[in-house]
């Protein structure tokens, strides 16, 4: 079982630090997993894990939605069975959409393929490793929300309708057929992040999107425990890196994986001849136990593995499926004369963490110096607070949180810590509100009202947002916007009295005032007015 020669995409070669908080996805249209039919007979059956429940209507922890195209009823039932197995073992907050197609694949020997639809930078989702890209499936788990549209798939799965399939769910696969349930689970595990971005061509080794590795890459080591992504040892686009990739001795060495293997590392499939799409992204065929063999390179005739296995789940855990998330409490700048300020955070973890060492690091001099405070937890479970002193008025405090889990993984929030900390300002406020608004190009004549929306934020808080508008350049009028959720302000402006008609013009601007004593003001646009034309309604035509 293989994946394709991976991710032929052109990216910027520099990390987009201009938007460190960005959670935008980098779109991907290349295959990240491909499954080839083995030629041997391997008559085994590994049943589903104990967590799997077959009771009617019963679901597991997660929620996976599949949109089907072209499937027969029997094939769809096998896919649903595989999906239910994964749902039973994945976290309860999993929400994932799969676009599945049942069609002819012309490439000989291909049973199916899958692709991740996008990647998110670790710096934008406060991931454990900020300097890596995360598949959208893992990224959404880490950040705790969807990063794409509700109707967009996280994984696209294509299955070859002409393959010699066994579509039963009992694992009794004939030696002349391939088990559909097994292939689906394998491909969806690739979709959950079990794949690399390594490449070895023309004696040159490389990896990553641009120069930034994906998270799986960061755990790949050689025989002597040297990480392949350590550029002080193996340069990008180098012969040294190439030699490692085809050297036959590669391992996956995440902390969960090493613990499961009692101190050992997971041996990866790394043939001396580079196999694009299969090398590195699979477990070694000969050195992996039968119980953990789902993610080895080939699925053979009669082979039915309906349990991802603890090794695969450990690797997925290292990639971010077993995660600890620090959620900071909201705090705004203030003009009050405070001598101390309380900072709060909530810890949500999929495993145990050191509850006695949830800590806060803070500085008032851009981290030339810093202090560390161990936070305390009161009545609310996993809710922590810490109070820091304010030495003088007009002081900016920068800070970040950190906590370690039982696998000695140190999580920070924000993940870039001192490079991009949180901050709170105590003193006279001179920061203006930030107004974001997209004007319409036109409206039709004879409308009764016009709806306006704007997003307005301020470090201290927004006091007032209103419109200044004028029709046909006549004297200005004013109309207030009402606040809603997520910094949204809206207004429905009644214009019936103006009797707008084709050829008229509407000019307006949005004015926002904050709560500072000096009442800082922003105007959008920064100069002039937005201009919207009024279009004529033409007579109805008969044909």
């Amino acid at each position: 079982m293989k994946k394709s020669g991976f991710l032929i995409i052109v990216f910027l070669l520099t990390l987009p630090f201009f938007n460190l908080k960005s959670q935008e996805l980098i779109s991907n249209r290349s295959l990240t997993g491909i499954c080839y039919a083995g030629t041997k007979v391997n008559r085994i059956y590994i049943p589903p894990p104990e967590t799997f429940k077959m009771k009617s209507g019963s679901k597991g922890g997660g929620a996976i939605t599949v949109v089907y195209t072209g499937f027969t009823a029997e094939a769809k039932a096998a896919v649903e069975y595989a999906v239910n197995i994964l749902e039973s073992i994945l976290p309860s907050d999993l929400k994932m959409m799969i676009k599945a197609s049942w069609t002819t694949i012309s490439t000989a020997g291909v049973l199916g393929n899958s692709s991740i639809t996008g990647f998110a930078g670790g710096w934008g989702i406060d991931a454990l490793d900020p300097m890596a890209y995360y598949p959208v499936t893992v990224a959404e788990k880490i950040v705790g929300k969807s990063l794409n549209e509700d109707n967009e798939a996280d994984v696209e799965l294509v299955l070859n309708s002409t393959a010699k399939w066994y579509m039963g769910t009992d694992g009794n696969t004939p030696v002349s057929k391939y088990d559909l349930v097994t292939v689906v689970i394998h491909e969806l595990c690739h979709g959950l992040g079990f794949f690399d971005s390594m490449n070895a061509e023309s004696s040159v080794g490389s990896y990553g999107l641009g120069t930034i590795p994906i998270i799986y890459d960061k755990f790949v080591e050689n025989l002597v425990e040297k990480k392949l992504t350590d550029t002080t040892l193996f340069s990008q686009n180098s012969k040294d890196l190439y030699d490692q990739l085809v050297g036959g001795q590669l391992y996956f060495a995440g902390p969960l994986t090493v613990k499961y293997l009692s101190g050992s590392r997971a041996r990866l499939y790394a043939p001396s001849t580079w196999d694009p799409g299969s090398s590195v992204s699979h477990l070694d065929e000969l050195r992996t136990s039968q119980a953990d063999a789902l993610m080895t390179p080939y699925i053979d005739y009669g082979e039915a593995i309906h349990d991802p296995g603890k090794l695969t789940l450990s690797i997925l855990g290292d990639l971010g499926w077993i995660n600890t998330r620090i959620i900071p409490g909201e705090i705004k700048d203030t003009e009050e004369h405070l001598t101390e300020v309380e900072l709060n955070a909530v810890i949500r973890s999929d495993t145990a963490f050191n509850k006695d060492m949830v800590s806060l690091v803070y500085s008032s001099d851009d981290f030339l110096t810093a202090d560390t405070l161990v936070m305390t937890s009161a009545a609310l479970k996993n809710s922590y607070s810490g109070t820091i002193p304010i030495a003088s008025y007009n002081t900016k405090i920068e800070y970040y949180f950190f906590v370690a889990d039982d696998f000695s993984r140190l999580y920070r929030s924000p993940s870039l810590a001192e490079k991009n900390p949180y901050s709170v300002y105590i003193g006279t406020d001179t920061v203006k509100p930030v107004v974001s608004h997209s004007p319409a190009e036109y409206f039709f004549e004879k409308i009764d009202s016009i709806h306006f929306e704007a997003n307005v934020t301020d470090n201290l808080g927004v006091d007032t947002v209103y419109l200044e508008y004028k029709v046909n350049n006549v004297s200005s009028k004013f109309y207030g916007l009402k606040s809603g959720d997520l910094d949204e302000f809206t207004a429905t402006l009644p214009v019936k009295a103006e009797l707008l008609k084709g050829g008229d013009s509407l000019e307006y601007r949005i004015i926002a005032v904050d709560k500072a004593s000096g009442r800082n003001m922003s105007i959008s646009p920064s100069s002039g007015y937005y201009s919207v034309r009024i279009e004529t309604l033409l007579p109805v035509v008969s044909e």
Side-chain angles (χ1 to χ4, degrees):
M1 190 171 294
K2 306 179 181 179
K3 64 180 177 58
S4 78
F6 181 83
L7 292 175
I8 307 172
I9 311 173
V10 177
F11 289 93
L12 293 176
L13 297 181
T14 56
L15 179 67
F17 280 124
F18 58 84
N19 194 5
L20 291 171
K21 292 292 187 180
S22 174
Q23 295 176 353
E24 293 183 1
L25 293 176
I26 293 177
S27 179
N28 172 48
R29 289 291 177 264
S30 298
L31 299 181
T32 49
I34 187 168
C35 176
Y36 285 92
T39 58
K40 300 182 299 182
V41 172
N42 185 20
R43 186 69 177 84
I44 63 170
Y45 173 49
I46 306 296
E50 294 181 2
T51 53
F52 179 56
K53 299 177 182 180
M54 288 300 299
K55 295 180 180 178
S56 178
S58 176
K59 285 281 188 179
I64 300 176
T65 302
V66 185
V67 178
Y68 293 95
T69 300
F71 278 77
T72 65
E74 191 177 16
K76 181 177 177 180
V79 175
E80 282 293 317
Y81 185 87
V83 164
N84 288 344
I85 290 173
L86 286 176
E87 284 181 325
S88 74
I89 57 181
L90 289 170
S92 59
D93 54 355
L94 167 74
K95 294 188 185 303
M96 178 175 162
M97 177 176 283
I98 300 167
K99 178 183 177 182
S101 299
W102 183 254
T103 187
T104 299
I105 296 177
S106 58
T107 306
V110 175
L111 296 175
N113 59 57
S114 61
S115 58
I116 289 286
T117 59
F119 296 86
W123 61 90
I125 58 174
D126 278 350
L128 176 64
D129 190 335
M131 300 304 295
Y133 278 109
Y134 286 74
V136 60
T137 49
V138 190
E140 290 181 342
K141 158 62 185 169
I142 292 170
V143 79
K145 66 178 183 180
S146 179
L147 296 177
N148 50 21
E149 298 296 329
D150 291 341
N151 61 347
E152 288 183 321
D154 300 305
V155 178
E156 295 184 353
L157 171 66
V158 180
L159 296 167
N160 191 350
S161 60
T162 64
K164 297 178 180 179
W165 292 116
Y166 176 66
M167 301 184 194
T169 59
D170 57 4
N172 190 26
T173 308
V175 296
S176 61
K177 293 188 176 183
Y178 298 101
D179 189 72
L180 180 55
V181 172
T182 301
V183 172
V184 172
I185 296 174
H186 179 107
E187 284 304 307
L188 293 186
C189 284
H190 281 310
L192 294 172
F194 199 117
F195 64 89
D196 69 290
S197 69
M198 301 289 179
N199 190 40
E201 294 181 2
S202 303
S203 297
V204 174
S206 62
Y207 57 83
L209 313 184
T211 59
I212 304 170
I214 64 172
I215 186 59
Y216 185 100
D217 302 335
K218 301 295 282 285
F219 295 103
V220 179
E221 295 182 353
N222 65 9
L223 178 63
V224 291
E225 301 182 359
K226 303 300 183 183
K227 292 187 179 297
L228 268 60
T229 54
D230 185 343
T231 54
T232 65
L233 300 172
F234 312 110
S235 300
Q236 274 274 31
N237 303 308
S238 69
K239 177 66 162 53
D240 287 341
L241 182 57
Y242 173 87
D243 290 341
Q244 295 296 320
L245 292 172
V246 297
Q249 294 278 6
L250 294 181
Y251 301 83
F252 188 96
L256 278 75
T257 301
V258 171
K259 183 172 183 178
Y260 168 66
L261 295 175
S262 302
S264 298
R265 300 171 294 168
R267 186 72 174 265
L268 297 176
Y269 178 62
S272 57
T273 300
W274 179 254
D275 191 346
S278 191
S279 294
V280 185
S281 62
H282 292 92
L283 300 171
D284 185 84
E285 188 82 40
L286 300 177
R287 297 172 179 84
T288 303
S289 69
Q290 183 172 284
D292 288 317
L294 176 72
M295 298 306 291
T296 52
Y298 302 98
I299 290 297
D300 292 314
Y301 289 114
E303 186 174 12
I305 303 177
H306 294 182
D307 186 341
K310 292 182 179 179
L311 179 53
T312 294
L313 294 180
S314 296
I315 290 173
L316 293 177
D318 283 322
L319 299 177
W321 286 100
I322 303 298
N323 184 66
T324 296
R325 185 170 164 228
I326 305 172
I327 306 171
E330 183 179 359
I331 184 170
K332 287 187 175 293
D333 297 348
T334 180
E335 292 186 316
E336 293 184 51
H337 288 262
L338 301 179
T339 58
E340 61 184 23
V341 63
E342 181 180 273
L343 301 174
N344 299 279
V346 173
I347 312 297
R348 293 180 182 170
S349 182
D350 301 310
T351 185
F353 63 93
N354 191 339
K355 297 179 181 291
D356 298 323
M357 287 297 293
V358 178
S359 299
L360 165 67
V361 180
Y362 64 96
S363 172
S364 58
D365 57 8
D366 296 323
F367 282 99
L368 295 175
T369 61
D371 293 291
T372 301
L373 174 68
V374 177
M375 304 176 75
T376 58
S377 180
L380 293 177
K381 186 178 180 181
N382 296 337
S383 180
Y384 291 80
S385 64
T387 300
I388 59 177
I390 305 301
S392 62
Y393 200 60
N394 292 330
T395 294
K396 180 182 180 181
I397 300 294
E398 295 180 313
Y399 61 96
Y400 64 91
F401 306 95
F402 71 85
V403 64
D405 71 3
D406 264 11
F407 298 98
S408 299
R409 299 184 293 182
L410 188 65
Y411 290 85
R412 297 177 177 87
S413 180
S415 57
L416 284 170
E418 294 182 11
K419 293 182 180 179
N420 187 42
Y422 301 118
S423 67
V424 59
Y425 183 77
I426 296 90
T428 303
D429 179 58
T430 59
V431 179
K432 295 181 179 181
V434 177
V435 181
S436 178
H437 172 68
S438 298
E441 293 184 11
Y442 63 89
F443 295 110
F444 286 112
E445 64 180 353
K446 300 181 180 178
I447 56 175
D448 293 335
S449 60
I450 298 176
H451 186 70
F452 294 90
E453 294 182 359
N455 184 277
V456 185
T457 59
D458 186 75
N459 63 314
L460 205 65
V462 178
D463 180 79
T464 305
V465 180
Y466 61 95
L467 289 169
E468 179 188 350
Y469 72 98
K470 48 188 176 180
V471 177
N472 296 330
N473 209 26
V474 179
S475 58
S476 293
K477 297 181 180 180
F478 301 91
Y479 198 84
L481 278 73
K482 295 182 179 180
S483 62
D485 296 331
L486 301 175
D487 303 313
E488 289 184 353
F489 288 78
T490 61
T492 301
L493 178 67
V495 292
K496 187 175 183 179
E498 270 77 17
L499 294 175
L500 295 177
K501 54 186 179 298
D504 286 348
S505 67
L506 171 67
E507 293 182 314
Y508 70 95
R509 55 185 180 177
I510 298 174
I511 301 168
V513 182
D514 71 7
K515 293 182 178 179
S517 57
R519 289 297 189 263
N520 302 300
M521 177 186 293
S522 288
I523 301 176
S524 180
S526 56
S527 62
Y529 294 81
Y530 295 114
S531 181
V532 182
R533 67 181 186 272
I534 308 301
E535 296 283 3
T536 302
L537 281 172
L538 299 176
V540 176
V541 296
S542 59
E543 295 180 357

